[in-house]
Amino acid sequence: DTGVSQDPRHKITKRGQNVTFRCDPISEHNRLYWYRQTLGQGPEFLTYFQNEAQLEKSRLLSDRFSAERPKGSFSTLEIQRTEQGDSAMYLCASRGPWDPPDTQYFGPGTRLTVL
Amino acid sequence: SQQGEEDPQALSIQEGENATMNCSYKTSINNLQWYRQNSGRGLVHLILIRSNEREKHSGRLRVTLDTSKKSSSLLITASRAADTASYFCATSDMRFGAGTRLTVKP
């Protein structure tokens, strides 16, 4: 357990529904990352926050995806009008200001299944 | 798009044997990292090697980096059943490969 928590751990939804995931990073970690991982593949970068500012977004993050970190602590990732291709594990990671560069602590992930 | 690519995709060995996994990448890097992921879980950071380092050790792990060949290897010595997991390399811009699935049979 790295100290990064994600909720829910599993989500099953029907195509077209909206879903929202939450990530609680380690306390005082100012950097927060979202990744998507499909079966048999490595994680793919989605977006990155430093405090409340969203500094980078992957082109994978279509207009149906939105992420927020309003107070610089927890973050939410929302997917609107879900499609079957959105089925994946969504991973959150965080890093503190004094951690070695490029070292991230990953949460357990939220597994999304779109029927 | 993914940057690192691991080889082999799957590896099955007996407990006590050594396991070697390779990673190739495409662009210049500041460092390269290796992560482990148990089935259905998040990733655990194992080791980071900087671009000016050629070899690094941590316990039973040995990582090498050849920037001229844009490749890295992860060696796990005296493997244990608990080492069964997927292993990923990631470049300094956090682009991951598809991973090597390691199975250690007791």
Side-chain angles (χ1 to χ4, degrees):
Chain A
D1 183 2
T2 62
V4 179
S5 62
Q6 292 186 246
D7 181 69
R9 294 291 305 276
H10 303 274
K11 179 70 177 179
I12 300 174
T13 190
K14 292 182 179 179
R15 189 175 52 186
Q17 298 293 306
N18 299 344
V19 294
T20 300
F21 310 140
R22 176 178 170 127
C23 171
D24 285 89
I26 295 171
S27 179
E28 298 182 359
H29 274 197
N30 59 335
R31 301 185 187 205
L32 188 147
Y33 306 79
W34 284 99
Y35 294 85
R36 181 178 69 187
Q37 185 179 24
T38 53
L39 199 63
Q41 298 298 313
E44 295 176 293
F45 170 80
L46 292 178
T47 190
Y48 155 57
F49 288 86
Q50 183 162 318
N51 299 313
E52 64 275 9
Q54 189 172 19
L55 297 186
E56 190 176 348
K57 289 172 61 174
S58 164
R59 58 182 173 81
L60 294 174
L61 213 66
S62 74
D63 55 5
R64 296 186 298 107
F65 287 70
S66 62
E68 295 182 343
R69 195 182 183 199
K71 298 180 180 180
S73 55
F74 73 91
S75 175
T76 58
L77 177 68
E78 181 183 17
I79 308 174
Q80 296 182 325
R81 304 181 303 280
T82 53
E83 301 172 357
Q84 287 185 324
D86 297 332
S87 295
M89 175 80 88
Y90 290 84
L91 294 166
C92 173
S94 70
R95 179 163 83 85
W98 296 284
D99 284 317
D102 304 311
T103 298
Q104 299 183 3
Y105 300 87
F106 281 82
T110 293
R111 181 167 295 284
L112 172 66
T113 302
V114 181
L115 302 176
Chain B
S1 62
Q2 295 187 323
Q3 160 115 267
E5 295 199 6
E6 290 85 350
D7 169 60
Q9 292 185 346
L11 181 61
S12 182
I13 60 174
Q14 293 294 136
E15 202 165 30
E17 294 180 340
N18 295 341
T20 300
M21 289 159 271
N22 302 298
C23 166
S24 60
Y25 56 92
K26 297 175 183 175
T27 61
S28 297
I29 60 170
N30 294 322
N31 60 65
L32 186 138
Q33 304 167 67
W34 284 90
Y35 287 81
R36 183 185 73 220
Q37 184 178 36
N38 290 82
S39 182
R41 302 286 189 89
L43 280 78
V44 174
H45 183 264
L46 294 177
I47 193 166
L48 180 150
I49 185 165
R50 301 190 190 286
S51 59
N52 61 353
E53 296 175 312
R54 292 295 170 260
E55 187 171 311
K56 197 164 184 179
H57 296 255
S58 177
R60 293 184 297 113
L61 305 180
R62 173 178 168 250
V63 170
T64 62
L65 179 64
D66 186 336
T67 52
S68 66
K69 295 181 180 178
K70 290 187 166 55
S71 67
S72 174
S73 68
L74 171 67
L75 168 68
I76 304 175
T77 60
S79 63
R80 305 166 182 169
D83 295 328
T84 294
S86 291
Y87 291 82
F88 297 92
C89 67
T91 53
S92 42
D93 58 354
M94 294 308 291
R95 301 301 191 256
F96 288 81
T100 293
R101 174 70 187 167
L102 173 66
T103 302
V104 181
K105 300 175 185 177

